Amino acid sequence: MSNKARQNNLMTKLLMLSLFFVLFVASNSFAETILFQDDFGSGNADRWQLQEGWQVVSDNGNFVLSSSQHSFASTGSTLWTNYSLTTRVKLMTASSATHLNYRSQGCDRYFIAFNTGGVYLSKTYPCITHTPLANDSGAHNINQWYTVKIVGNAGNIKVYVDDLLKIDFTDNSPLLGGKIAFEGLDNSSVYFDAVMVVTDEPLSETPWQSTGGPLGGLGYDVRIHPGNKSIMYVTDNNAGVLRSDNGGQTWSQTNAGITVISGTTGDAVNIFSLTVDPNNPDIIWAGTNGQGSSFGVYKSTDGGATWTSKTNGMALNGEIGMVFRGFTIQQGNSNIVYAQAEITTTIQGRAFNRVKGRVYKTTDGGATWGLIWQGDSLARYLIIDPDHSDVLYLSTGIFDREAFNSDCGNGTRGGLGVLKSIDGGKSWAAVNNGIDDLYVGSLRMHPTNPQILFAAAGNNACSELSTGNPIGGLFKTINGGLSWTKVISKDIMTTINFSPSNPDIIYAGSSFAFYRSENGGTTWSRFFIPGPNGPVWGPPGIRAGVPIDVTIEPGNPTVLYANNYGGGVFRSLDGAETWEVWSKGYSGADIHIVHIPVDTPSYVYAIGRSGPFVSLNYGKDWGGIANGDATFAEWNTIVTKPTNSNIVLISDEHQGVIFISSDVGNNFSEVLRQPDANASDPNKSQGFRGLAFAPSNPNIVYAGLSKDRGTFLSSSPLGTVVYKSLDGGMTFSPMPSALDGINVRRLVVDPVNADAVYAATTDGVYKSSNGAASWTRIGSLGSNNIEALAIDPLQPGYIIAGEIFGGIWMSTNGGANWTGPLNTGFNSPNPYISSLVVDPVSPNTVFAGDLYSGVYRPLDKGFTWAAFPVLQL
């Protein structure tokens, strides 16, 4: 995992503030909180439990929920206490009627009958006992929308129709909690729309609710139970160990006992490697991607349900960290286990840290460990010859770490390649005859012939793919490593494996393609998706990235699973020719921006390391939209046009490119490429972090450039940093100015003046009053490293800025004067403010995300702050 990824690990939780803000924050007053809402604008009712007879239909071009028989539509299992329900209801025939069930729990409920003759309040308690409580007679026309509102406060129930109070009843033995449910009746046709449930209870009593998340994280190993293919395991360095009992259809975390956690919010479960004991599948070994002294080896003896630390004998000797890259269990003896490790150093290579490696061995099931090898490159795979347990093969290196003995920037590739021991690890010798790339990230042995091995090699910084003479590829030996032959060239290969049921079928993968051989590796078929930025593999709409591990289903050589280094598991049913996402139930996504269109709140856009995604149902389900030209690996920002949520702009992090889609991301076209950006040169890696439509004129778009998130505090962007569009993002023009050479982290446009723009930068807050033609620095704000910026939509002079390790700054006069830092109430005296959101309806409500301690809200519009309920995903 790169340093920049570690620094921003699980930023998802704080940057998803915008999403939760829309779903849960007040729409009418500071104290009122939205618990549930649905306008069925996505064309479905995925947030509902629908019985037969319910469906979403079109009503004059507007999607609504429709009932046609006696059955129920409910909001699920969530139970609320004091809340109000508002919905629009239309009776379609003279005989139509419906029951709006309130505080419904099991058989108990209040139900409000609504028909052409009036509105009636009744109570069901106990089951089957229906007690009329109150009614109001009054005609309701058919084919006419009515707004019905039900408000409960302890035993008092009020019912309004079109804001007129119809029923006010107090129950001395009230039902205090339950969900909502709509009840269709026989011979009735009723439409529902604009459903909203809100509460006046304090925000501290309203917990965060997970909306799931798009695919992503830092995937590593995927494993199948050797005796039951329905049981699978996958690791993710943000989410830990995940287990599936249905062949990967759904996954759940199983991390009990794992104590090594990290990340900015302190809840990333740092599991990298995982191996199932082939002798006893209930025994599983897992290793961490540890930082500092926080490293760990864990053993489970109950199929991953619980874990126990097993690190006795492992220690750092002044190094900064230890990462466990794999485990190997000796056939027939579960007490003999090898652990392969990376030893992290502080020495920076051309693009990645330089690292060393170690191999540990236990002969007592992990009670104690002994060091049997250490060297100048990380240890990845260790393979035991099944016929001679003293014969060991060790692969060293990986695609995103540079060997300690390397200097790739100056032509010294370094690396150790494949090592072999014939005495159980007491001594080792290199066996690299024919291997021209000594970064061997994957090594596999033929299931029945231990003389045949394949080695997948390559390194992004050292293998020279950009030159005319690249090294790296896939290598084969048929004589136990005495000599190797290159069988796939000109690619950085990262994974290789045999089909257990047919070893002639072999799969290999890189970030560009998957390969399949059906004749033992003599010839290969290559499968990829062509694209404007080079070939890729994976499901449609997903930039799959690096396949770090591949597992083939026992008994079926055409079904395989690949774990993506960018997060997520993919499955192929046709021998790697096509892929589908197979990660439901977990996400370790590193999200940078969550965006909800103002005109379509059921849409949620998200963008991060793993690409751009969209949900059309309030975040319940996500689909990748890395389509058309948008096939890069790292991403920055996503916005939609205020007047048309189908028009989407996205920007990448390293290439300096902006893309536009006019069809909700089904296809993207490149509209701008900043000429000084170059992802292959670490000194030129930069992208547009700021993208902003002008609210008063959506044809005007501003874009602001920044170095990537790992280097923006230490280096400056190259070239022009602000660009402007006058045609809704179809074309952009450079706007040279005093901001050139300064990282622009966010842009905010005045809500009523399209020429007034504010920029959050690493040199403070700047303002342009002439449409980005010129800029003026406004005020001095601490260190002036400003990452977050927000403006009051009703009072444009009110601006709030978030400083990196500085806190909150506030101006009430358009930046002429600032007050701050305003950090009273934060856990830290110098919080890292990464996100700010102002409620567009109730501007006294401002939310701030501290990267390290959570979400806060002001008690007095920014002068003092209180922690929002802890976000737990």
Side-chain angles (χ1 to χ4, degrees):
M1 191 178 192
S2 64
N3 288 334
K4 64 183 179 181
R6 292 188 181 105
Q7 177 186 355
N8 292 277
N9 190 16
L10 289 189
M11 190 179 287
T12 306
K13 294 189 175 181
L14 299 178
L15 294 185
M16 287 191 78
L17 174 62
S18 301
L19 169 58
F20 295 111
F21 165 76
V22 170
L23 295 179
F24 301 113
V25 171
S27 63
N28 297 313
S29 67
F30 180 80
E32 194 172 80
T33 303
I34 299 173
L35 299 171
F36 180 90
Q37 69 180 65
D38 201 344
D39 61 3
F40 310 104
S42 62
N44 58 54
D46 287 349
R47 306 184 72 209
W48 297 76
Q49 293 181 353
L50 302 181
Q51 295 182 351
E52 186 176 353
W54 290 87
Q55 61 181 330
V56 175
V57 300
S58 177
D59 179 45
N60 297 320
N62 179 50
F63 287 119
V64 299
L65 185 63
S66 167
S67 73
S68 60
Q69 66 184 61
H70 195 170
S71 59
F72 291 84
S74 68
T75 53
S77 59
T78 302
L79 305 179
W80 302 300
T81 52
N82 294 323
Y83 63 91
S84 65
L85 162 65
T86 303
T87 186
R88 297 173 67 222
V89 181
K90 183 196 284 191
L91 305 172
M92 302 305 296
T93 65
S95 61
S96 293
T98 186
H99 290 169
L100 286 72
N101 295 286
Y102 180 80
R103 293 183 183 168
S104 175
Q105 185 173 358
C107 300
D108 305 336
R109 59 175 176 158
Y110 294 104
F111 63 93
I112 292 84
F114 185 86
N115 57 35
T116 55
V119 59
Y120 307 85
L121 172 64
S122 298
K123 177 182 180 181
T124 300
Y125 180 83
C127 289
I128 311 176
T129 302
H130 308 298
T131 304
L133 301 179
N135 67 82
D136 179 84
S137 300
H140 296 138
N141 299 325
I142 63 172
N143 291 309
Q144 178 178 330
W145 284 106
Y146 292 90
T147 299
V148 179
K149 183 175 183 179
I150 306 164
V151 181
N153 184 7
N156 181 253
I157 306 294
K158 291 183 174 68
V159 180
Y160 299 83
V161 177
D162 288 342
D163 293 327
L164 297 176
L165 181 62
K166 298 293 185 178
I167 292 174
D168 186 347
F169 180 83
T170 298
D171 185 358
N172 293 325
S173 300
L175 306 175
L176 295 179
K179 61 186 178 181
I180 66 169
F182 298 151
E183 184 178 358
L185 302 178
D186 291 333
N187 303 314
S188 293
S189 176
V190 183
Y191 286 177
F192 298 86
D193 194 14
V195 182
M196 180 176 290
V197 179
V198 301
T199 181
D200 289 326
E201 294 179 345
L203 288 175
S204 59
E205 298 179 17
T206 304
W208 290 96
Q209 299 182 24
S210 173
T211 62
L215 175 148
L218 190 63
Y220 204 74
D221 282 337
V222 56
R223 303 285 186 247
I224 302 175
H225 188 289
N228 184 350
K229 67 180 183 180
S230 294
I231 299 175
M232 298 182 65
Y233 300 90
V234 67
T235 58
D236 182 282
N237 193 53
N238 293 341
V241 180
L242 295 305
R243 172 172 164 149
S244 174
D245 292 307
N246 53 16
Q249 295 180 53
T250 58
W251 300 85
S252 58
Q253 289 180 298
T254 175
N255 295 319
I258 296 175
T259 58
V260 176
I261 57 176
S262 69
T264 53
T265 50
D267 54 2
V269 186
N270 296 103
I271 296 297
F272 238 17
S273 51
L274 182 143
T275 298
V276 179
D277 187 335
N279 308 309
N280 181 354
D282 285 336
I283 298 176
I284 308 173
W285 292 89
T288 64
N289 178 7
Q291 303 304 308
S293 60
S294 297
F295 64 86
V297 168
Y298 291 90
K299 180 181 182 180
S300 174
T301 58
D302 53 14
T306 59
W307 298 88
T308 303
S309 177
K310 298 288 184 181
T311 58
N312 185 25
M314 297 174 169
L316 293 170
N317 299 314
E319 299 94 353
I320 66 170
M322 189 183 312
V323 178
F324 289 94
R325 294 284 181 173
F327 297 89
T328 303
I329 299 97
Q330 184 165 301
Q331 182 175 317
N333 190 343
S334 296
N335 285 323
I336 299 178
V337 183
Y338 298 86
Q340 297 82 256
E342 164 197 324
I343 303 300
T344 309
T345 77
T346 58
I347 300 175
Q348 178 67 32
R350 181 184 183 188
F352 311 107
N353 281 9
R354 296 184 191 175
V355 299
K356 300 181 180 181
R358 291 182 188 169
V359 175
Y360 291 94
K361 180 179 181 179
T362 179
T363 58
D364 51 19
T368 58
W369 295 86
L371 182 64
I372 65 169
W373 177 85
Q374 58 184 337
D376 283 343
S377 191
L378 67 85
R380 178 78 199 281
Y381 282 84
L382 187 146
I383 297 177
I384 306 171
D385 186 328
D387 298 332
H388 304 281
S389 60
D390 283 339
V391 176
L392 312 175
Y393 297 88
L394 177 66
S395 74
T396 64
I398 202 168
F399 75 98
D400 67 344
R401 291 291 184 272
E402 296 174 44
F404 192 76
N405 63 359
S406 70
D407 187 2
C408 297
N410 292 312
T412 302
R413 300 187 187 104
L416 298 176
V418 178
L419 307 178
K420 183 176 182 179
S421 173
I422 59 174
D423 54 13
K426 296 177 182 178
S427 61
W428 298 84
V431 286
N432 296 318
N433 182 24
I435 298 179
D436 62 7
D437 192 315
L438 301 184
Y439 291 88
V440 180
S442 186
L443 183 71
R444 299 287 187 177
M445 179 181 284
H446 191 285
T448 61
N449 186 345
Q451 294 298 303
I452 298 176
L453 295 93
F454 284 85
N459 182 278
N460 287 356
C462 307
S463 296
E464 301 180 1
L465 280 189
S466 62
T467 71
N469 185 31
I471 58 175
L474 186 67
F475 301 85
K476 177 182 179 180
T477 179
I478 59 173
N479 52 22
L482 291 177
S483 61
W484 299 79
T485 302
K486 183 180 284 192
V487 294
I488 295 178
S489 302
K490 298 182 179 180
D491 205 346
I492 294 176
M493 306 302 296
T494 57
T495 190
I496 173 74
N497 211 348
F498 292 85
S499 165
S501 59
N502 185 351
D504 283 338
I505 296 179
I506 311 167
Y507 296 95
S510 75
S511 63
F512 303 109
F514 249 83
Y515 300 79
R516 184 182 73 219
S517 174
E518 298 180 5
N519 53 15
T522 302
T523 60
W524 296 83
S525 299
R526 185 170 184 251
F527 306 108
F528 61 93
I529 303 171
N533 303 305
V536 296
W537 70 281
I542 304 290
R543 175 61 159 82
V546 178
I548 200 68
D549 185 65
V550 62
T551 297
I552 298 90
E553 184 176 291
N556 192 336
T558 63
V559 177
L560 61 157
Y561 302 87
N563 202 2
N564 174 20
Y565 206 59
V569 179
F570 304 135
R571 183 178 77 161
S572 175
L573 299 176
D574 54 12
E577 296 185 31
T578 61
W579 297 86
E580 61 182 323
V581 175
W582 209 240
S583 301
K584 188 170 184 178
Y586 83 96
S587 173
D590 185 359
I591 298 298
H592 303 160
I593 295 292
V594 172
H595 172 76
I596 300 175
V598 294
D599 63 332
T600 315
S602 59
Y603 286 12
V604 185
Y605 291 92
I607 198 165
R609 289 194 69 203
S610 51
F613 295 84
V614 68
S615 170
L616 304 181
N617 53 12
Y618 295 96
K620 180 181 178 181
D621 300 298
W622 296 87
I625 53 173
N627 299 309
D629 292 347
T631 57
F632 293 138
E634 302 273 351
W635 294 91
N636 249 341
T637 302
I638 189 165
V639 294
T640 60
K641 191 172 185 178
T643 54
N644 185 351
S645 59
N646 292 331
I647 296 177
V648 188
L649 288 178
I650 61 175
S651 62
D652 88 299
E653 185 169 24
H654 300 311
Q655 311 274 359
V657 179
I658 295 176
F659 305 89
I660 193 169
S661 171
S662 59
D663 54 9
V664 200
N666 288 316
N667 189 69
F668 279 98
S669 299
E670 180 180 316
V671 292
L672 173 63
R673 184 179 291 262
Q674 206 269 0
D676 296 283
N678 183 353
S680 62
D681 184 345
N683 297 318
K684 297 180 180 180
S685 178
Q686 55 192 33
F688 289 96
R689 181 69 179 178
L691 276 177
F693 281 89
S696 61
N697 184 353
N699 285 323
I700 295 178
V701 191
Y702 297 94
L705 192 76
S706 174
K707 294 300 289 292
D708 69 43
R709 63 193 183 280
T711 61
F712 74 93
L713 287 176
S714 60
S715 60
S716 301
L718 304 174
T720 302
V721 301
V722 174
Y723 286 71
K724 182 178 179 180
S725 173
L726 299 176
D727 53 13
M730 295 299 298
T731 61
F732 283 85
S733 299
M735 306 292 290
S737 71
L739 280 182
D740 292 344
I742 300 173
N743 288 290
V744 177
R745 303 296 292 166
R746 184 168 175 81
L747 293 172
V748 177
V749 186
D750 186 292
V752 296
N753 182 357
D755 287 332
V757 193
Y758 297 86
T761 79
T762 47
D763 186 43
V765 177
Y766 281 74
K767 179 179 180 179
S768 175
S769 300
N770 53 14
S774 63
W775 296 83
T776 302
R777 190 168 180 263
I778 52 175
S780 180
L781 287 68
S783 69
N784 289 309
N785 286 324
I786 307 300
E787 182 153 315
L789 199 64
I791 189 169
D792 187 331
L794 302 182
Q795 304 175 64
Y798 175 79
I799 305 169
I800 188 167
E803 181 189 355
I804 297 172
F805 296 120
I808 298 290
W809 296 81
M810 186 175 69
S811 174
T812 59
N813 55 10
N817 303 100
W818 293 88
T819 302
L822 303 170
N823 297 335
T824 301
F826 283 92
N827 287 352
S828 166
N830 298 298
Y832 185 131
I833 304 301
S834 59
S835 182
L836 289 165
V837 179
V838 178
D839 186 338
V841 177
S842 300
N844 284 332
T845 303
V846 184
F847 289 85
D850 175 10
L851 183 60
Y852 291 89
S853 65
V855 178
Y856 294 79
R857 60 184 175 91
L859 301 178
D860 47 16
K861 202 170 182 177
F863 287 97
T864 57
W865 296 80
F868 205 60
V870 176
L871 173 57
Q872 295 179 339
L873 294 184

